Amino acid sequence: MSESILDTGSDVVTNGQGKDVFEVLVIGAGPTGLACAIDAQNAGFRVVLVEKGCLCNSLYHYPSHMTFFTTPELLEIGNIPFPSPNPKPNRNEALQYYRQVAAYYRLDVRQYQTVEQVTGSDGNFVVNIRDRFGRPDTLSARKLIVATGYYDLPNYLGIPGEDLPKVMHYYDDPHPYSGLDILVIGGKNSAAIAALELWRHGARVTLVHRGPDMHRHVKYWIKPDIENRIKNGEITAFFNTQVAEIGPDTVLLETPEGQRILKNDFVFALIGYHPDYEFLASLGVRSEGVDRMPVCDPETLESNVPGIYLAGVIVAGARTNEIFIENGRFHGQQIARGLVNSQISGTLSVPNSK
């Protein structure tokens, strides 16, 4: 399959100003956004996707050597097989697969376009975007699907020194940190994987977690590995501990035994990520409860704002460990059924072009 990402070539409807009017606009071109676009397109709608980075931007920023925790068939979208010689595919295989799926369906993906504001209402949304050079533009759509994920917004510690350039909230590659003193903050999979890779590539690793031990959700083949490295003293760990301050050459820890100052070169604060609650609120989408669950119809995933649908991990609010590619990829089917029903009821009718 070719990997060029092209327009669908379907009939074009314009508004009164001569601009295209899309029946469905998807915000976010990750696996879930792509699945939603495919399902809407298969249902007969003209679809465009807007992505502030590259195609599958979050996956692209995953660690370069990352292996998925799941099997290829559970990452498939659009009824396209995911060929992989490995029982668990890696990041590069996934990026290639999703590129090819987007090309196969000739999805209209507008990359490096940031959505700044949405105005209008059901049947007549205006999406204000800006490209990477700061140039503004607008897109018009009858319906919106928001599939923005959560990986772009890390959780912060809120401590002095967190803004130093030595502090990172994403882990990529272990090579630059060989022979250095590295602090990894966190107790889940990301922190465990980073700590192990850094140690295996020659870094002196200290792990800090506010809980009493590694989180129970750490994968079964990773948990004994990190626990054995800690037990053997190969990775130093402080549990029931918090980082109080980060300096240029040190970190200050609050441990059960009191304060500790450690020599430090770099910090990886891998304490999770969260959806863009502010953007959802700007759309008028309400959130409820301590987990900030957005209000949406469980059958169609239409939010409390008519014409705006939600897909992927943002449906779960702060409970980001409940929705993954494996189950989020089916949200497009639910939304497509809702779109068809709205078409039948007349709310997705397309006006005559002028």
Side-chain angles (χ1 to χ4, degrees), residues 109-345:
V109 185
R110 311 292 176 92
Q111 300 181 83
Y112 303 103
Q113 305 283 335
T114 300
V115 175
E116 295 198 321
Q117 185 183 27
V118 175
T119 59
S121 58
D122 189 11
N124 186 29
F125 290 108
V126 177
V127 180
N128 295 275
I129 60 177
R130 192 173 295 274
D131 71 10
R132 64 189 187 278
F133 302 110
R135 295 172 297 192
D137 199 0
T138 60
L139 294 170
S140 297
R142 304 299 173 205
K143 305 284 184 177
L144 300 181
I145 300 174
V146 182
T148 50
Y150 72 110
Y151 193 64
D152 291 324
L153 295 171
N155 297 329
Y156 288 99
L157 297 161
I159 60 172
E162 190 173 13
D163 58 346
L164 290 172
K166 64 182 271 187
V167 181
M168 290 157 287
H169 295 273
Y170 298 90
Y171 168 74
D172 180 18
D173 191 281
H175 173 77
Y177 311 102
S178 179
L180 301 178
D181 293 293
I182 309 300
L183 182 73
V184 176
I185 306 172
K188 295 185 179 180
N189 286 298
S190 295
I193 292 170
L196 288 167
E197 278 202 359
L198 288 161
W199 169 72
R200 289 197 164 99
H201 287 79
R204 295 182 292 274
V205 179
T206 298
L207 184 142
V208 168
H209 181 41
R210 64 184 179 181
D213 48 34
M214 298 302 295
H215 198 278
R216 66 182 185 280
H217 288 153
V218 175
K219 297 301 180 181
Y220 67 88
W221 64 91
I222 297 172
K223 198 167 188 286
D225 192 2
I226 186 70
E227 289 176 340
N228 284 336
R229 303 291 74 74
I230 293 170
K231 180 180 177 181
N232 294 341
E234 294 157 321
I235 293 175
T236 302
F238 292 89
F239 293 106
N240 296 310
T241 295
Q242 303 212 42
V243 182
E245 185 174 350
I246 301 171
D249 304 302
T250 61
V251 291
L252 174 63
L253 307 183
E254 294 283 358
T255 79
E257 290 76 35
Q259 291 188 340
R260 290 281 301 271
I261 297 177
L262 303 181
K263 185 176 180 297
N264 174 261
D265 295 303
F266 287 95
V267 174
F268 288 94
L270 306 178
I271 56 174
Y273 309 89
H274 62 271
D276 193 341
Y277 301 118
E278 291 185 5
F279 178 67
L280 290 175
S282 75
L283 300 175
V285 177
R286 295 198 311 271
S287 297
E288 295 181 340
V290 295
D291 292 322
R292 306 184 72 171
M293 300 275 287
V295 175
C296 65
D297 186 311
E299 295 297 323
T300 66
L301 299 179
E302 186 173 18
S303 73
N304 63 282
V305 181
I308 297 181
Y309 297 77
L310 308 179
V313 69
I314 62 171
V315 173
R319 289 148 59 175
T320 54
N321 64 334
E322 294 186 1
I323 297 180
F324 308 93
I325 298 174
E326 295 96 309
N327 48 9
R329 64 194 174 127
F330 298 117
H331 288 173
Q333 298 174 12
Q334 293 178 247
I335 294 172
R337 287 193 293 268
L339 291 171
V340 170
N341 290 334
S342 70
Q343 183 184 48
I344 292 171
S345 68

Side-chain angles (χ1 to χ4, degrees), residues 30-39 70-82 97-98 147 301 311-313 323-335:
T32 297
L34 296 176
C36 289
I38 291 167
D39 288 322
T70 191
T71 54
E73 62 270 16
L74 296 179
L75 300 176
E76 294 175 355
I77 60 173
N79 293 317
I80 302 295
F82 187 152
Y97 168 74
Y98 291 119
L301 299 179
V313 69
I323 297 180
F324 308 93
I325 298 174
E326 295 96 309
N327 48 9
R329 64 194 174 127
F330 298 117
H331 288 173
Q333 298 174 12
Q334 293 178 247
I335 294 172

Side-chain angles (χ1 to χ4, degrees), residues 48-125:
V48 65
L49 299 97
V50 179
E51 169 57 57
K52 71 178 183 179
C54 62
L55 188 79
C56 293
N57 192 63
S58 293
L59 289 186
Y60 172 72
H61 287 97
Y62 280 4
S64 56
H65 305 297
M66 189 206 76
T67 298
F68 282 88
F69 296 142
T70 191
T71 54
E73 62 270 16
L74 296 179
L75 300 176
E76 294 175 355
I77 60 173
N79 293 317
I80 302 295
F82 187 152
S84 173
N86 304 308
K88 292 182 172 61
N90 59 46
R91 163 190 171 274
N92 290 341
E93 289 178 291
L95 290 175
Q96 180 179 13
Y97 168 74
Y98 291 119
R99 285 198 310 270
Q100 292 179 328
V101 171
Y104 177 83
Y105 281 100
R106 298 173 64 85
L107 297 179
D108 185 351
V109 185
R110 311 292 176 92
Q111 300 181 83
Y112 303 103
Q113 305 283 335
T114 300
V115 175
E116 295 198 321
Q117 185 183 27
V118 175
T119 59
S121 58
D122 189 11
N124 186 29
F125 290 108

